[in-house]
Amino acid sequence: MSLQMKDLKIYDPKDFPAYLPKLNNLYEDLFLGGKGFRAKLIGIMARSLGLPHKTEHLLAQTIEFIHNASLLHDDLVDRSILRRGKVAAWTKYSPEYAVLAGDYLLARVMVNLSQFGNLKLVQLTAEVISDLLEGEWIQDSLVGDFSIELSQLDRVHHLKTASLFKWCLKAPFITIEKNDNSLHTVLEEMGSLLGLLFQRSDDLLDFNIRNTEEKAILGDLKSGYLNSFASFSTKHLKEKEKEKLKLCQNLNDFYHILGGESFFKEKVEEFDKMNGFLIQLYHHHLKTLDGFLSTAEEKTLIKQLEPLTQILYWRKTGS
Amino acid sequence: MSQLLTISKKDPHFEKYLMGSFSETERAIPLQSLNVNSESEQVTFQIHKISEIKRPSIFLLSLNLFKVHNFIWVSLPLFLVLSKAFIENEAVDPLLSLFSTLGVLFIYSALSLRNDFQDHLLGRDRILPYRRGNVIQKGWVTANSLKKISHYLLVIGILCGLPAFWSFPLSIGLVGLSTLLSLLFFNHLQGRSKYFLFIESFQFFLFGPLLTLGYHISLGIDYDEEVLFLGFLSGFLYLFSVHIKNFKHILVLSSANFKNTMSFFGFEKSKLILLLWWISFCVFFLYYHYEYASSFITFVFLWYILISSHQIYLILSSLRSPGGSEIIRACRKLHYISLILMSLWIFENIWYILFFLKE
């Protein structure tokens, strides 16, 4: 992936009115800590599809704006104190500023896309924002639910995480007017799978599995939220036992409730195996995607998209 | 080792894979699809060799195929009609009643399998969690086989009904024709969610008045208003269970654009509808008992209804989300409340029978 966040200038103070107090400081804090993975995915797509640099920049900026707007709102809804190792915006500035800053990012997205003039792109983006909000609404109602099933969590993740990945795959094709329904159905399936794998891998970090980023352990559980791995691994527990999960302070507490560390490791293996099938499904759809690509340059996209599951799920570092 | 295959709904081979008739040695199991019930639907199938699929015992297969636990919705009205006939000392030919009972059970089994087949064609079994474990999804039976079995059961059911038709051609003919037309309409409208009100109305008639009246007449007994009332109550209660099931999956069904009363009204209003539905049913139920049963029994039911209605109100009013485990627990409680009422109703009739026998 050639583009870096700083190259894309995803956030540029010139895009936002300097006369609005603290707004640019808020965005500085927010954007500079990000990995910009979604923007990098846009970069992969743009290179293979031969998008002009301006279009690539617009798409990368759009997705990062939407993603970061959702983070601003998420942190306030979840009452998370930290974001990317720094104090969350709603705590440092104010809840009102965090909400307005998120709204402003979404408004900028609409302004930029409407200036670009591709109606289908505007439609897709509006749907993604709507899905994100729906997912957030439902997720908020699930806090404290320690009996939630994996299939129910997947629905929320499809609306939240997966919808952004779907956008990253579909939007570049829309900008080059490749709007074939069958192509976009395949892209949607691939985006859903990538989003789901990414979310499940992120949920494993909470239990210190492949935690190279040194994410805080049991952050989700302590916030009263049962993530996908927690839901999967505690399926066999009775309701009363699940209630004890609320008191978990460290991994040893979790092992104890689950039935021991070796049982925990078995569950990790089972979870990985289950997601291994999703990876197989993703590669199957990748082969189908190949059939829709016409030029040699476009076909390089397949090779670029192949390692994504390794990066997103197994957390292996990509180029 | 299984392979994966993705086919568009528009592909000419799509139906062969969905029906399971594409190969003699392999089975295509549809995986969960996110774009179900849409024009652009594409289904990814997992292709297994039939020899690799672990088939269960005939007993287990039959239990899963016929969903024996659902037979309560047919058995209850039949039992109520039969026990009424017995208590009122109606002259009923035992052989005729046996054939009529078997006929109804076979026809309703056929309906149940046909429903599973329709769900498979429409994709409901690919999105609803409780459907994903069904016999087609497990690879035990193909959709094609399911369709054939439902046809055979329907024919057997009709054959079992022939003695009743022979004895009472006009009345059974009328009931049979009404049932057939209802089934045809129901089948025709199944895939068209916007006619959900009609579909649910047909379900009310098929599990309610049509069932009780038809069965009553097939026993050789004249038309009875009480039986019509019984049918009304059983149909009403059956629809309550349908609404509970649809409410439990309101999020999934709404997202996939499958319309029904619950998804039409949305989460908040559906809670009110469920409560009002239960209360309405209870009012009719109490009135039925006031008219046709003893005061003591009516009084007992009144207490149960007051307590259960309050319980239902508390369960529904505290429900916050259509997406979590709360809604599953809530629907399970609602289901148990209606099951307890049905059990009390059955027990009431057994009590009458024993009382009659003692006399």
Side-chain angles (χ1 to χ4, degrees):
Chain A
M1 297 186 199
S2 64
L3 291 165
Q4 303 297 315
M5 280 288 279
K6 58 180 174 63
D7 296 336
L8 284 173
K9 287 196 170 70
I10 300 298
Y11 157 70
D12 194 320
K14 287 187 291 195
D15 287 324
F16 303 100
Y19 54 81
L20 291 176
K22 298 178 186 173
L23 185 69
N24 285 287
N25 291 346
L26 192 154
Y27 288 141
E28 285 263 350
D29 288 343
L30 184 66
F31 282 99
L32 289 183
K35 292 187 288 290
F37 184 82
R38 290 158 192 81
K40 286 173 187 170
L41 181 52
I42 292 289
I44 292 172
M45 303 292 293
R47 235 190 356 262
S48 300
L49 298 178
L51 299 190
H53 181 76
K54 249 186 147 179
T55 308
E56 180 189 343
H57 185 277
L58 170 71
L59 296 183
Q61 188 182 56
T62 300
I63 198 62
E64 287 298 331
F65 275 17
I66 296 172
H67 174 54
N68 283 282
S70 76
L71 294 181
L72 282 168
H73 291 164
D74 265 1
D75 288 340
L76 175 58
V77 166
D78 300 339
R79 301 294 191 267
S80 305
I81 306 295
L82 293 175
R83 167 60 64 186
R84 292 167 177 161
K86 288 186 252 175
V87 176
W90 71 275
T91 314
K92 186 174 176 181
Y93 299 94
S94 70
E96 293 84 358
Y97 274 177
V99 169
L100 291 169
D103 290 348
Y104 196 84
L105 284 174
L106 296 177
R108 284 306 307 172
V109 159
M110 285 301 141
V111 166
N112 295 342
L113 288 182
S114 52
Q115 279 170 359
F116 183 67
N118 186 318
L119 189 59
K120 278 196 168 15
L121 188 59
V122 173
Q123 197 181 351
L124 175 69
T125 309
E127 281 168 9
V128 162
I129 293 171
S130 158
D131 283 347
L132 262 177
L133 292 169
E134 199 180 311
E136 187 55 44
W137 195 285
I138 297 169
Q139 187 170 44
D140 189 51
S141 66
L142 302 178
V143 173
D145 186 346
F146 280 75
S147 298
I148 190 162
E149 291 171 6
L150 183 60
S151 57
Q152 293 174 309
L153 280 172
D154 283 348
R155 245 171 267 136
V156 174
H157 297 150
H158 277 306
L159 289 169
K160 289 184 70 180
T161 322
S163 63
L164 293 181
F165 279 92
K166 280 189 226 177
W167 190 95
C168 288
L169 296 181
K170 289 176 74 160
F173 280 96
I174 290 175
T175 61
I176 57 171
E177 309 285 339
K178 262 193 153 174
N179 296 318
D180 180 72
N181 270 337
S182 304
L183 163 66
H184 281 270
T185 306
V186 173
L187 293 170
E188 270 200 45
E189 293 278 358
M190 287 173 62
S192 294
L193 289 165
L194 283 178
L196 207 57
L197 286 166
F198 179 68
Q199 184 62 58
R200 288 183 179 183
S201 170
D202 196 67
D203 290 345
L204 280 172
L205 298 183
D206 220 51
F207 294 90
N208 210 26
I209 303 294
R210 297 186 283 272
N211 189 13
T212 49
E213 296 159 44
E214 290 175 13
K215 187 184 168 190
I217 308 296
L218 296 186
D220 290 340
L221 212 56
K222 287 176 186 171
S223 307
Y225 176 65
L226 202 73
N227 70 26
S228 60
F229 176 71
S231 170
F232 174 81
S233 60
T234 58
K235 200 168 44 173
H236 64 288
L237 295 179
K238 295 199 173 89
E239 247 179 76
K240 276 189 181 157
E241 288 168 312
K242 285 182 185 177
E243 289 295 310
K244 292 180 193 167
L245 291 169
K246 291 176 188 174
L247 306 169
C248 276
Q249 290 302 308
N250 52 54
L251 274 176
N252 284 327
D253 292 344
F254 186 77
Y255 295 154
H256 179 72
I257 296 168
L258 200 65
E261 196 178 342
S262 55
F263 187 77
F264 170 83
K265 285 177 181 165
E266 270 176 43
K267 282 292 167 190
V268 172
E269 265 179 48
E270 265 179 54
F271 194 66
D272 282 341
K273 193 177 175 189
M274 182 178 68
N275 296 316
F277 179 72
L278 297 185
I279 292 171
Q280 189 190 349
L281 203 49
Y282 170 80
H283 286 286
H284 163 73
H285 288 307
L286 200 55
K287 282 188 198 143
T288 312
L289 176 64
D290 193 36
F292 290 101
L293 304 173
S294 34
T295 66
E297 201 188 355
E298 279 180 4
K299 285 190 184 285
T300 59
L301 184 60
I302 303 299
K303 235 183 162 169
Q304 295 291 318
L305 294 178
E306 249 176 44
L308 283 186
T309 51
Q310 292 292 307
I311 297 166
L312 289 176
Y313 187 74
W314 296 106
R315 300 274 157 166
K316 289 182 178 155
T317 50
S319 55
Chain B
M1 190 69 185
S2 63
Q3 295 172 2
L4 295 169
L5 175 73
T6 301
I7 312 181
S8 162
K9 211 177 192 175
K10 294 172 196 166
D11 190 298
H13 298 295
F14 178 77
E15 211 179 274
K16 275 190 198 159
Y17 280 91
L18 201 65
M19 296 286 277
S21 55
F22 73 101
S23 165
E24 297 286 317
T25 56
E26 287 175 328
R27 201 144 280 172
I29 296 170
L31 299 176
Q32 188 182 5
S33 172
L34 292 175
N35 53 350
V36 97
N37 200 30
S38 69
E39 279 301 308
S40 60
E41 181 177 358
Q42 288 184 355
V43 180
T44 301
F45 293 91
Q46 200 171 13
I47 313 290
H48 293 272
K49 287 209 180 309
I50 291 176
S51 53
E52 285 171 1
I53 298 171
K54 270 189 199 159
R55 287 283 295 267
S57 61
I58 298 286
F59 176 69
L60 201 61
L61 177 65
S62 306
L63 274 182
N64 281 269
L65 192 65
F66 297 107
K67 297 195 288 293
V68 172
H69 56 279
N70 282 342
F71 268 73
I72 185 74
W73 297 111
V74 174
S75 309
L76 175 69
L78 296 191
F79 171 74
L80 294 173
V81 169
L82 208 53
S83 58
K84 178 184 169 336
F86 183 79
I87 292 159
E88 290 177 1
N89 215 14
E90 298 280 0
V92 172
D93 183 331
L95 207 58
L96 192 65
S97 65
L98 176 67
F99 274 108
S100 298
T101 308
L102 286 173
V104 170
L105 292 175
F106 274 115
I107 289 171
Y108 276 84
S109 302
L111 250 184
S112 168
L113 294 187
R114 185 77 197 185
N115 196 45
D116 285 350
F117 171 74
Q118 282 290 105
D119 278 354
H120 179 69
L121 285 190
L122 294 170
R124 273 196 210 114
D125 61 353
R126 294 193 281 288
I127 57 164
L128 291 173
Y130 71 94
R131 281 291 202 204
R132 274 188 238 128
N134 74 21
V135 291
I136 301 175
Q137 291 287 121
K138 285 177 182 162
W140 293 347
V141 156
T142 63
N144 208 27
S145 303
L146 207 70
K147 188 178 163 190
K148 282 183 190 163
I149 296 170
S150 101
H151 286 160
Y152 296 147
L153 289 173
L154 185 66
V155 166
I156 295 170
I158 291 169
L159 287 173
C160 286
L162 281 180
F165 178 70
W166 192 259
S167 307
F168 317 105
L170 188 61
S171 30
I172 295 296
L174 265 169
V175 168
L177 191 64
S178 314
T179 311
L180 185 66
L181 284 172
S182 304
L183 286 173
L184 284 170
F185 249 122
F186 182 68
N187 203 43
H188 181 65
L189 294 177
Q190 266 271 52
R192 301 171 191 201
S193 294
K194 65 178 182 175
Y195 299 111
F196 68 90
L197 268 178
F198 285 106
I199 293 169
E200 287 172 8
S201 304
F202 282 131
Q203 287 175 315
F204 166 77
F205 281 107
L206 283 171
F207 284 88
L210 211 54
L211 174 60
T212 52
L213 269 179
Y215 185 60
H216 193 248
I217 292 167
S218 75
L219 296 178
I221 312 168
D222 287 335
Y223 168 80
D224 187 330
E225 216 175 67
E226 188 188 339
V227 171
L228 184 65
F229 204 153
L230 268 176
F232 175 82
L233 289 174
S234 65
F236 211 93
L237 193 60
Y238 174 73
L239 267 193
F240 183 62
S241 79
V242 169
H243 290 326
I244 293 172
K245 215 186 283 183
N246 288 333
F247 181 67
K248 189 161 105 173
H249 301 291
I250 193 169
L251 191 58
V252 173
L253 291 171
S254 301
S255 308
N257 220 22
F258 284 112
K259 286 196 178 70
N260 52 60
T261 301
M262 297 288 105
S263 64
F264 181 78
F265 284 102
F267 179 65
E268 294 298 334
K269 282 186 184 154
S270 289
K271 290 196 281 183
L272 184 62
I273 288 171
L274 280 171
L275 180 64
L276 290 176
W277 196 278
W278 174 256
I279 290 170
S280 306
F281 167 77
C282 290
V283 165
F284 290 124
F285 186 79
L286 281 173
Y287 180 68
Y288 168 82
H289 279 82
Y290 173 74
E291 279 287 313
Y292 300 108
S294 74
S295 320
F296 172 70
I297 297 288
T298 311
F299 184 72
V300 168
F301 274 120
L302 175 65
W303 274 107
Y304 178 73
I305 278 161
L306 285 173
I307 294 166
S308 60
S309 302
H310 182 244
Q311 277 299 299
I312 289 176
Y313 167 75
L314 289 176
I315 290 165
L316 291 172
S317 58
S318 65
L319 200 50
R320 294 173 306 149
S321 168
S325 64
E326 257 186 348
I327 196 168
I328 295 174
R329 273 198 303 275
C331 289
R332 199 181 301 138
K333 285 179 189 167
L334 259 61
H335 184 63
Y336 286 155
I337 286 171
S338 56
L339 269 183
I340 290 170
L341 183 79
M342 285 160 73
S343 305
L344 288 172
W345 202 359
I346 291 168
F347 182 73
E348 175 201 359
N349 277 268
I350 292 172
W351 187 68
Y352 289 146
I353 290 168
L354 292 173
F355 188 77
F356 174 78
L357 283 173
K358 205 178 161 189
E359 296 270 287

